[in-house]
Amino acid sequence: MKYALLLCAAAAAFAQSPAPFRPPSVPLVTHDPYFSIWSNADRLTDDETRHWTGAVNAITGMVRIDGTTYRIIGRDPRSIQPLQQAGVEVLPTQTAYRFSGGGIRLKLTFLTPVLPNDMDLLSRPVTYVVWEAQSEDGRPHQVTAYLDGSSELVVNTPDQQAVWSRLQVDGQTVLRMGSRQQRVLERVGDDVRIDWGYLYVAADRSEGASFAAGQRSQILSSFAQRGALPESDDFNEQQPGRRGLPALAVAVRLGEVGANPVSRYAMLAYDDLYSLEYFQRKVRPWWRRSGTGAADLLRGARSQYASLAERSAAFDKELMADLRRAGGEEYARLAALAYRQTIAAHKLVADTDGTALYFPKENFSNGCIGTVDVFYPSAPFFLLLNPALLEAQMRPIMDYAEMTRRWKFPFAPHDLGTYPHANGQVYGGGEENEVNQMPVEESGNMLILAAALSEAQGNTKFAERYWPVLTKWAEYLREKGLDPENQLSTDDFAGHLAHNANLSIKAIVALGSYGKLAEKTGHGAEAAKYRALAQQFAKRWMELAADGDHYKLAFDKPGTWSQKYNLVWDRLLDLNLFPAEIARKEIAFYLKHQEKYGLPLDNRQKYTKLDWIVWTATLADSRTDFEAFIKPAYQFAQDSPSRVPLSDWYWTTDAKQRGFQARSVVGGVFIKMLAESGMWKKWATR
């Protein structure tokens, strides 16, 4: 009877364990828009690893067990059989693959310890590749692991020449590779890769580690056949074609593996030397701001590995528990997948005076840098985990807006240029005219974020520093915000729209946000004026947008509807401008209009935005309703045939990508955490 009860308990536990998650693309090495490597396959050995743009950025992994070689990373060499993959888990700071075969169990972890409240660590471009092996059949086994990185990691296209060398850091071998031409900050645009700076490959310690640099195919063949690297480096120039590409390789001997796990690691690092051009001056990555160099980078990463692995594991455990508490298992998994993607679409740099500046790249939408309506949707991630990083995104826009000889308009800019050049707006009419600008959108975004930043930081220092600019934008919205003219919003792919009801909500909430900031900063008259104005506009909005059991897409279009995701800030900032009944009515309507893979953005098309779905879901009063929106969105990620880093713009009928990939806006899924009692304060105050 007791045995039967135990079986029943075990069966119940198994039934309750969550089903495996198949991400559309798995994050491996994720630091910034250039050093960003992913696996777009169910099994790590089914395809080459790729840059987020889809171009091959090959890293190859093999393991030799008792004289037999198996593949564990990448599709080459195809003559080598893959070790059986048993599973994969994506956590905020690490991805862990499990393999089984040859008498051992192998855990392969890509650890990128981007802990958000440690800006030095966040900016450190080092990923640890960790092997942990133990016997599965009770017998000892001899195990050696192999890792390489091809020259594709240091060039925009494979035909560009690369050079490589062997160095010593504290008596330990380090391999380095970079492009021959070193076109530092010359290339701009979206679907491009870095072709300056240097890739580094290093091991945890010198014992049992060997290195090789040269033609990738020869190095692969040597390890595959002999379990050892070539005895000499090859310094001949690469030949045309991928087989002729050079690579940096390390082989690490784990030795005899028995019942107790044996662990070793290697490091992949990238020193870009200079990261961005900011108003015609080249700026360094944050980690280099005090003269730190590549040797220091590797030395620090090696000495701190044990503590960083421990800190990362504790961080992942706590954050995942809080995500589950806020929104359930599927919500937590989506957020974990979004975590490193959000960070990897940014670059943290130091201005010449040491000020932290944090720039997002508008991946696969237009390549802009510092786009306001990109860091607006990603803001919940930073408001929760480190508000100083949101401030570092907003500051360049505020400083630009103060350059009145450059930025002549009474509304907020859209962007600062094309990545990696942050030299002034290029979108729409740029600095010349108002054609295709987003005046209500961006002004509303900046005012709302200024208020949210004040809430997260517990002070108004940022708003006080830029008060005249914020006031100018509030005055603009007072005149233009209630009933927006024909213009673009952040959903610019949907085209121009006049009388946009959701955009009007943004303007009203922004006016309320400005009023709240005015009260906090001692501007009593402005506080009363703008609070009253926002309340008046909210009442008028209800009349203009009402359409029976829901509210319209545009004031002049009865029979239409749209997600009113901007309404979430009325609740998060405790403005209470709109009656709660508006959100309840909209949620009830939305639940009737969901498709298989989520709620469409509006009635015009069947596509949606992942970030806006979660913002809309956060308006729901009940956990049941929230999860009703999350489940189809999670299923999109699980089922999507578009094997790219998480797309935020997709079709709700078949889960195919409509556009965009690897964008930082997926950080918006963390907004639910801001709505949970005590959760925002708990994390932000760290």
Side-chain angles (χ1 to χ4, degrees):
M1 181 66 176
K2 183 178 180 181
Y3 179 70
L5 289 173
L6 287 173
L7 284 178
C8 289
F14 180 80
Q16 292 171 4
S17 62
F21 179 35
R22 186 235 65 173
S25 184
V26 179
L28 304 178
V29 181
T30 45
H31 291 278
D32 59 44
Y34 291 128
F35 196 31
S36 183
I37 306 172
W38 300 70
S39 173
N40 295 348
D42 290 349
R43 290 181 294 271
L44 190 53
T45 53
D46 283 352
D47 190 20
E48 299 281 25
T49 59
R50 297 178 181 271
H51 187 256
W52 68 261
T53 57
V56 174
N57 262 198
I59 56 176
T60 302
M62 293 184 283
V63 62
R64 191 168 177 89
I65 308 168
D66 298 332
T68 301
T69 305
Y70 302 87
R71 267 187 301 121
I72 55 173
I73 308 174
R75 195 167 48 191
D76 290 329
R78 300 188 193 188
S79 59
I80 300 301
Q81 63 179 316
L83 200 61
Q84 183 66 38
Q85 182 175 308
V88 60
E89 182 179 26
V90 177
L91 295 171
T93 68
Q94 54 198 301
T95 295
Y97 286 91
R98 291 180 290 107
F99 297 90
S100 177
I104 72 165
R105 287 192 297 270
L106 178 69
K107 182 180 180 182
L108 175 68
T109 302
F110 294 85
L111 170 62
T112 306
V114 279
L115 302 176
N117 58 352
D118 186 334
M119 289 168 62
D120 288 337
L121 193 56
L122 184 82
S123 69
R124 181 187 285 175
V126 179
T127 287
Y128 302 94
V129 182
V130 186
W131 304 276
E132 182 180 282
Q134 66 183 124
S135 176
E136 189 173 38
D137 60 9
R139 292 180 293 185
H141 300 276
Q142 291 292 327
V143 179
T144 302
Y146 168 97
L147 177 73
D148 75 29
S150 82
S151 63
E152 291 156 323
L153 277 66
V154 302
V155 294
N156 179 50
T157 55
D159 60 319
Q160 292 179 269
Q161 294 290 317
V163 293
W164 51 98
S165 58
R166 181 183 287 250
L167 312 171
Q168 291 280 315
V169 176
D170 298 334
Q172 297 193 46
T173 298
V174 173
L175 300 180
R176 182 177 77 169
M177 179 185 290
S179 67
R180 178 178 291 281
Q181 288 187 313
Q182 288 294 304
R183 299 175 55 182
V184 180
L185 295 173
E186 289 184 17
R187 193 183 301 276
V188 300
D190 195 9
D191 189 4
V192 297
R193 285 133 306 270
I194 197 168
D195 55 6
W196 71 89
Y198 295 94
L199 171 73
Y200 291 86
V201 175
D204 53 354
R205 59 184 185 272
S206 57
E207 294 82 8
S210 59
F211 296 84
Q215 191 178 78
R216 179 169 174 255
S217 59
Q218 293 179 356
I219 298 173
L220 287 171
S221 177
S222 177
F223 185 84
Q225 294 174 16
R226 303 188 299 112
L229 301 182
E231 295 179 358
S232 301
D233 293 331
D234 176 8
F235 292 100
N236 294 318
E237 292 206 357
Q238 67 203 65
Q239 301 301 314
R242 294 202 63 246
R243 287 187 58 80
L245 294 181
L248 307 179
V250 58
V252 176
R253 186 167 57 84
L254 279 70
E256 186 173 276
V257 172
N260 295 322
V262 177
S263 181
R264 295 288 302 267
Y265 70 84
M267 294 180 287
L268 294 174
Y270 204 101
D271 178 9
D272 59 7
L273 306 175
Y274 289 94
S275 299
L276 303 168
E277 188 173 290
Y278 182 51
F279 289 107
Q280 283 73 50
R281 59 185 185 269
K282 294 178 181 179
V283 292
R284 296 282 195 182
W286 179 258
W287 66 270
R288 263 186 168 271
R289 71 192 182 284
S290 301
T292 304
D296 305 301
L297 174 75
L298 294 169
R299 185 179 295 117
R302 182 181 284 124
S303 67
Q304 295 172 22
Y305 166 73
S307 64
L308 291 179
E310 185 177 343
R311 287 171 60 190
S312 297
F315 173 83
D316 289 349
K317 182 178 179 181
E318 184 179 7
L319 182 57
M320 290 299 288
D322 281 353
L323 288 165
R324 292 185 184 102
R325 194 173 296 118
E329 178 65 32
E330 293 177 343
Y331 171 68
R333 290 182 178 188
L334 269 180
L337 183 59
Y339 183 95
R340 274 173 286 159
Q341 177 171 317
T342 301
I343 291 172
H346 291 81
K347 189 67 178 184
L348 181 63
V349 301
D351 203 355
T352 51
D353 63 356
T355 300
L357 305 174
Y358 200 40
F359 290 95
K361 179 181 181 182
E362 197 168 338
N363 288 347
F364 262 31
S365 41
N366 67 7
C368 279
I369 185 171
T371 303
V372 176
D373 60 285
V374 166
F375 64 72
Y376 170 70
S378 71
F381 180 94
F382 301 103
L383 285 166
L384 178 74
L385 297 170
N386 188 351
L389 290 170
L390 177 59
E391 179 179 331
Q393 293 176 73
M394 297 175 68
R395 187 177 297 278
I397 288 290
M398 303 303 295
D399 290 343
Y400 181 43
E402 287 187 330
M403 301 177 189
T404 53
R405 291 187 178 181
R406 294 279 306 270
W407 189 255
K408 307 177 181 68
F409 306 111
F411 49 81
H414 169 274
D415 65 83
L416 284 169
T418 302
Y419 199 93
H421 291 180
N423 294 326
Q425 180 168 312
V426 295
Y427 188 82
E431 296 178 355
E432 301 302 318
N433 56 62
E434 298 188 25
V435 175
N436 288 336
Q437 299 273 20
M438 299 186 189
V440 172
E441 174 70 40
E442 310 301 20
S443 301
N445 290 341
M446 292 301 289
L447 288 169
I448 291 170
L449 292 182
L453 185 64
S454 173
E455 289 290 313
Q457 293 183 323
N459 64 67
T460 58
K461 292 179 181 178
F462 185 83
E464 290 174 44
R465 162 65 181 82
Y466 296 105
W467 192 251
V469 177
L470 295 175
T471 299
K472 181 195 298 186
W473 295 339
E475 290 171 349
Y476 181 83
L477 293 182
R478 181 186 65 192
E479 299 299 323
K480 301 288 190 176
L482 172 60
D483 190 4
E485 298 166 344
N486 190 40
Q487 60 192 267
L488 296 170
S489 70
T490 184
D491 304 316
D492 54 356
F493 49 82
H496 289 70
L497 182 66
H499 319 296
N500 185 328
N502 189 44
L503 187 58
S504 175
I505 289 175
K506 177 171 288 181
I508 295 166
V509 172
L511 290 169
S513 298
Y514 177 79
K516 189 167 187 177
L517 283 172
E519 182 180 5
K520 288 183 175 182
T521 55
H523 297 83
E526 289 92 337
K529 173 183 175 181
Y530 278 90
R531 173 69 184 176
L533 182 67
Q535 290 174 326
Q536 175 189 337
F537 280 6
K539 290 180 180 178
R540 180 65 179 142
W541 184 93
M542 293 174 64
E543 298 170 0
L544 292 170
D547 199 24
D549 62 349
H550 68 283
Y551 295 87
K552 303 170 193 170
L553 163 69
F555 297 145
D556 62 340
K557 296 185 182 300
T560 62
W561 62 271
S562 64
Q563 290 188 43
K564 307 300 189 298
Y565 53 82
N566 287 316
L567 191 60
V568 71
W569 292 107
D570 188 44
R571 180 177 300 179
L572 295 179
L573 298 178
D574 200 26
L575 300 175
N576 301 311
L577 299 170
F578 293 87
E581 179 56 34
I582 292 178
R584 293 193 189 103
K585 183 183 287 189
E586 287 289 280
I587 290 295
F589 182 84
Y590 298 151
L591 289 170
K592 299 174 184 176
H593 288 78
Q594 288 206 101
E595 300 290 341
K596 181 178 181 180
Y597 294 108
L599 178 68
L601 185 63
D602 56 50
N603 63 275
R604 292 174 293 179
Q605 296 280 354
K606 293 295 185 182
Y607 56 60
T608 194
K609 290 283 271 85
L610 178 64
D611 43 347
W612 300 150
I613 281 181
V614 184
W615 287 34
T616 294
T618 303
L619 291 169
D621 288 333
S622 74
R623 173 70 169 266
T624 299
D625 285 348
F626 175 81
E627 292 186 356
F629 290 107
I630 296 301
K631 189 172 185 61
Y634 172 83
Q635 206 61 44
F636 146 72
Q638 177 87 308
D639 295 350
S640 178
S642 304
R643 304 310 296 267
V644 299
L646 195 58
S647 174
D648 56 288
W649 183 25
Y650 67 90
W651 294 103
T652 58
T653 51
D654 58 13
K656 290 181 180 178
Q657 172 191 25
R658 172 61 181 85
F660 307 158
Q661 64 197 50
R663 299 211 306 165
S664 62
V665 302
V666 297
V669 303
F670 283 80
I671 199 163
K672 176 63 172 171
M673 297 282 277
L674 305 185
E676 293 299 301
S677 178
M679 202 79 80
W680 186 358
K681 184 177 181 180
K682 169 191 170 180
W683 287 94
T685 53
R686 296 184 178 186

